[in-house]
Amino acid sequence: MTPTFHDRAESLVQRTGARVTRQRIEVLAILLSARRALTHHEVEDRANRSLGIDRVTVYRVLEWLTAHELAHKIAGEDRVWRFNAAGDEGGRSHAHAHFKCNDCGDVICLDEVRAARDIRLPSGYRSQAVELTVKGLCAECVPARKHS
Amino acid sequence: MTPTFHDRAESLVQRTGARVTRQRIEVLAILLSARRALTHHEVEDRANRSLGIDRVTVYRVLEWLTAHELAHKIAGEDRVWRFNAAGDEGGRSHAHAHFKCNDCGDVICLDEVRAARDIRLPSGYRSQAVELTVKGLCAECVPARKHS
DNA sequence: GGCCTTAATGCAACAGAGTTGCGTGCAAGC
DNA sequence: GCTTGCACGCAACTCTGTTGCATTAAGGCC
């Protein structure tokens, strides 16, 4: 549906060396074209409409994309995975934060923010990753009034 | 089974003004006696063994405890809620961080850490809460060797 | 203490998210 | 074009959590 995203997706999938399938390209293109993190359901909806891709395949492709660092998973507090295209940067790791809108549920990445590293843990504990989620209202859900 | 926790739990439940039931006391006592956040499954397991409390009742009691700020919910990335006794502090709010062990899955609260407030959001966005989760290995899961 | 009201519990059935097994189809190597 | 095996599609399943409804029991009232 969106040639540019489709082409970028195809190129990214090819670069992994694994099989290049319509399903992988299409799902990745859907993620690339979204400006926010999509739930499995949202991806399935679009993938199904455009290509009739199966529920399970969408799950498997999303998992595959995550494993190959073409997408990354975000755990929302509503027990639903959300997926974002990792874009061309590849392994930009999980050093960035997320913003989750409490009203519409949208999730976006806050790339500029790197979570503080100087966190004191109990003795013996070792930190591997820091996940920072800011919750609030996105621009579209903030009521018209301007004061806090 | 643990009289001290049981008594504290009973007192806390009474303080809400709502009905004081065996189930509420027992579930809260289980949370109080745990040094880490428990999943519903873990709570149910213990509650069922000691009092034969029903699955659904455990869900409802946990929800009730959360609503009355006697416990608080933590969303893990494994789609499972974890519950912590809020203790006597009551409304200490959600300004604290959590630590999640990538190996055994345990979750504990890191009370000392207050999440950074100076996070730049896209224009129009409004922050309501900040959730910070440190992931890594807890003292019991860190392998014997000492270097990073 | 016994009775009454109503909230809370227990049971069963359901719902949504994600997984597994297995036969079929198709991408890619020859 | 033929072959091979990975990936897909379908169905059935698991797991977490929820809802409806009849039954039980907490706590007020006499």
Side-chain angles (χ1 to χ4, degrees):
Chain A
M1 48 160 90
T2 326
T4 314
F5 292 125
H6 191 280
D7 293 349
R8 276 181 60 202
E10 183 163 8
S11 149
L12 287 165
V13 172
Q14 272 172 343
R15 218 175 295 173
T16 66
R19 289 204 180 166
V20 180
T21 64
R22 278 179 11 234
Q23 291 85 344
R24 284 175 179 174
I25 296 167
E26 183 69 12
V27 169
L28 181 51
I30 288 168
L31 291 185
L32 286 169
S33 68
R35 289 169 315 286
R36 57 182 180 83
L38 300 179
T39 64
H40 165 270
H41 190 71
E42 291 168 322
V43 175
E44 185 203 336
D45 225 47
R46 306 181 189 195
N48 210 320
R49 233 178 322 192
S50 54
L51 272 170
I53 298 177
D54 189 70
R55 246 170 59 77
V56 178
T57 301
V58 173
Y59 273 112
R60 287 199 265 233
V61 169
L62 287 171
E63 193 182 346
W64 181 88
L65 289 172
T66 305
H68 287 259
E69 299 194 315
L70 294 176
H72 60 117
K73 261 182 175 179
I74 307 166
E77 79 271 29
D78 50 3
R79 299 176 25 252
V80 176
W81 291 115
R82 281 176 173 75
F83 295 85
N84 236 322
D88 307 289
E89 321 89 337
R92 82 174 157 194
S93 83
H94 300 81
H96 65 288
H98 296 120
F99 177 89
K100 166 104 194 264
C101 178
N102 284 326
D103 195 42
C104 65
D106 276 12
V107 175
I108 62 170
C109 288
L110 304 172
D111 298 282
E112 303 161 34
V113 182
R114 64 263 162 267
R117 292 279 178 10
D118 56 340
I119 294 167
R120 283 189 305 274
L121 297 175
S123 85
Y125 281 57
R126 185 188 299 171
S127 164
Q128 291 178 331
V130 177
E131 216 170 65
L132 182 65
T133 304
V134 180
K135 294 193 256 180
L137 297 175
C138 75
E140 303 202 350
C141 294
V142 167
R145 59 204 159 77
K146 259 300 179 206
H147 61 79
S148 118
Chain B
M1 48 163 89
T2 326
T4 315
F5 292 123
H6 191 281
D7 292 349
R8 277 182 60 203
E10 183 164 7
S11 149
L12 287 165
V13 173
Q14 272 172 345
R15 221 176 292 175
T16 67
R19 288 200 182 172
V20 179
T21 66
R22 275 179 14 231
Q23 291 86 343
R24 285 176 177 172
I25 295 168
E26 183 68 13
V27 169
L28 182 51
I30 288 168
L31 291 185
L32 285 170
S33 68
R35 289 170 313 286
R36 56 183 181 83
L38 300 179
T39 63
H40 165 269
H41 190 72
E42 293 169 321
V43 175
E44 185 203 337
D45 225 48
R46 306 182 192 194
N48 209 321
R49 233 179 321 193
S50 55
L51 271 172
I53 298 177
D54 188 69
R55 244 169 60 76
V56 178
T57 301
V58 173
Y59 273 111
R60 288 199 266 233
V61 168
L62 287 171
E63 192 183 345
W64 181 88
L65 289 172
T66 305
H68 287 259
E69 299 193 313
L70 294 176
H72 61 117
K73 262 183 175 179
I74 306 167
E77 77 272 31
D78 50 2
R79 301 179 24 255
V80 176
W81 291 115
R82 282 178 173 74
F83 295 85
N84 236 322
D88 306 289
E89 323 88 337
R92 81 173 158 193
S93 82
H94 300 82
H96 65 289
H98 295 121
F99 177 90
K100 165 103 194 264
C101 179
N102 283 326
D103 195 41
C104 66
D106 276 11
V107 175
I108 62 169
C109 289
L110 303 172
D111 299 283
E112 303 162 35
V113 182
R114 62 268 161 263
R117 292 276 177 13
D118 56 340
I119 294 168
R120 284 188 304 273
L121 296 175
S123 86
Y125 281 57
R126 186 187 297 171
S127 164
Q128 291 179 331
V130 177
E131 215 169 65
L132 182 65
T133 303
V134 180
K135 293 194 256 182
L137 297 175
C138 74
E140 303 200 352
C141 293
V142 167
R145 59 203 159 76
K146 261 296 179 213
H147 62 78
S148 123

